[in-house]
Amino acid sequence: MADSGGSERKGIDRELRRGSLELIVLQLLAPGEAYGYEIVSKLTAETNGALEVTDGTLYPVLYRLERAALVAVRWETPERGVPRKYYRLTDAGREELIRLTHEWSTFAKAMNKLLRRDREAK
Amino acid sequence: MADSGGSERKGIDRELRRGSLELIVLQLLAPGEAYGYEIVSKLTAETNGALEVTDGTLYPVLYRLERAALVAVRWETPERGVPRKYYRLTDAGREELIRLTHEWSTFAKAMNKLLRRDREAK
DNA sequence: CAATATATCGTGTTACGCAAGGTATATTAC
DNA sequence: GTAATATACCTTGCGTAACACGATATATTG
């Protein structure tokens, strides 16, 4: 609406996050287990909101990872408090984390190289 | 259906490209005009295939950019050869290129920072 | 005219991120 | 005791981008 007449080029961020979210979550689980809600706030905090997602976005990701056996799940029901579902990396998850990190790295390098090109051609 | 038990984690590359393709194309047009087929081969060549796309992927991107007035179009029909559609950046396109480059940079920095985290833990 | 190369464009599929809403349990307020 | 708030999980539906696949059209070569 602020973009009068134009095409409103909104969240490219949303598209950029595509495909990197799994990597992000796996990486956040690398130090140890965490539960869903915790991951959301961790992500927001550690990236100053740059990679922020809502829980409605995260849970499907976690479910995908679980189904792919990249994470394992443990319920914890304390005497006080709402039950929490803790996720931790499986061995396959750690391998996948390494693999995806490499893929990301390759991609990012190619992008950066391309974007740096404007110094020759001006 | 083809996914029998195993998780078959295929093209994350495809997802990573999401949202960056517009930026890529704008950047490739920065030095001067080019036509569609040319952009495809340029992209493949300059990134050693890391960001390769097919023409079926590229043309919709170009159409989006044209509709958003980020690129302008010129047909050239030579006496010999198939007509070519040349694209060049508009002023708005140059601004958008700068804007998207910044967005990419912010995103990539956040990702790299997050991925570098594994040196404290472990 | 058949085959190949160049070049553009259209259709249908897939899958992801997200807004929006729903459920359930515990704590605090009155 | 019940209303409100916080915590924590999950589901549905939508929009949209990338891609595979195929169609179209022109020019060259045999």
Side-chain angles (χ1 to χ4, degrees):
Chain A
M1 357 209 96
D3 192 3
S4 61
S7 56
E8 170 106 33
R9 312 211 59 68
K10 43 170 185 199
I12 183 193
D13 274 0
R14 176 179 186 160
E15 306 302 332
L16 285 180
R17 260 189 289 277
R18 260 221 179 199
S20 45
L21 251 189
E22 293 194 3
L23 168 55
I24 290 168
V25 172
L26 290 176
Q27 171 66 26
L28 284 174
L29 288 176
E33 65 178 6
Y35 60 96
Y37 229 70
E38 189 182 6
I39 295 175
V40 173
S41 43
K42 250 188 172 181
L43 184 53
T44 301
E46 296 201 17
T47 65
N48 296 319
L51 298 178
E52 191 172 19
V53 295
T54 66
D55 64 314
T57 299
L58 182 66
Y59 285 114
V61 176
L62 288 170
Y63 181 62
R64 286 204 308 270
L65 294 176
E66 185 186 351
R67 252 203 343 184
L70 300 177
V71 300
V73 170
R74 173 177 71 86
W75 276 101
E76 179 161 319
T77 312
E79 300 92 57
R80 318 203 135 219
V82 181
R84 290 167 171 176
K85 198 171 175 182
Y86 281 87
Y87 297 85
R88 69 178 183 281
L89 292 185
T90 61
D91 288 347
R94 286 197 187 277
E95 284 172 28
E96 181 71 358
L97 173 55
I98 292 170
R99 204 178 68 79
L100 289 183
T101 302
H102 271 111
E103 274 196 54
W104 160 258
S105 177
T106 301
F107 173 73
K109 275 187 190 127
M111 281 294 291
N112 284 329
K113 185 181 167 200
L114 190 70
L115 292 176
R116 239 176 285 125
R117 228 192 23 150
D118 53 359
R119 282 163 201 169
E120 335 160 6
K122 176 54 181 293
Chain B
M1 15 190 77
D3 191 7
S4 61
S7 57
E8 167 113 33
R9 312 212 59 67
K10 45 169 179 201
I12 183 191
D13 274 0
R14 175 183 186 155
E15 307 300 334
L16 284 180
R17 259 190 290 278
R18 263 226 174 193
S20 46
L21 251 189
E22 294 194 3
L23 168 55
I24 289 168
V25 172
L26 290 176
Q27 172 66 25
L28 284 174
L29 288 175
E33 64 178 10
Y35 59 97
Y37 228 69
E38 189 182 7
I39 295 175
V40 173
S41 43
K42 251 187 172 181
L43 184 53
T44 302
E46 296 201 16
T47 65
N48 297 319
L51 299 178
E52 193 172 17
V53 294
T54 66
D55 65 311
T57 298
L58 182 65
Y59 284 113
V61 176
L62 289 170
Y63 182 63
R64 287 204 307 271
L65 294 176
E66 184 186 350
R67 254 201 341 184
L70 300 177
V71 301
V73 171
R74 174 178 71 85
W75 276 101
E76 179 161 319
T77 312
E79 300 93 57
R80 316 204 136 219
V82 181
R84 291 168 171 175
K85 199 171 174 181
Y86 280 88
Y87 297 85
R88 69 178 183 283
L89 292 185
T90 61
D91 288 347
R94 285 194 190 279
E95 285 171 29
E96 182 70 358
L97 172 55
I98 292 170
R99 203 177 70 78
L100 290 183
T101 302
H102 271 110
E103 274 197 55
W104 160 257
S105 178
T106 300
F107 172 73
K109 275 187 191 128
M111 282 293 292
N112 284 329
K113 186 183 166 198
L114 190 69
L115 293 177
R116 241 175 285 127
R117 231 189 22 149
D118 54 359
R119 282 163 201 171
E120 333 162 7
K122 171 57 180 294

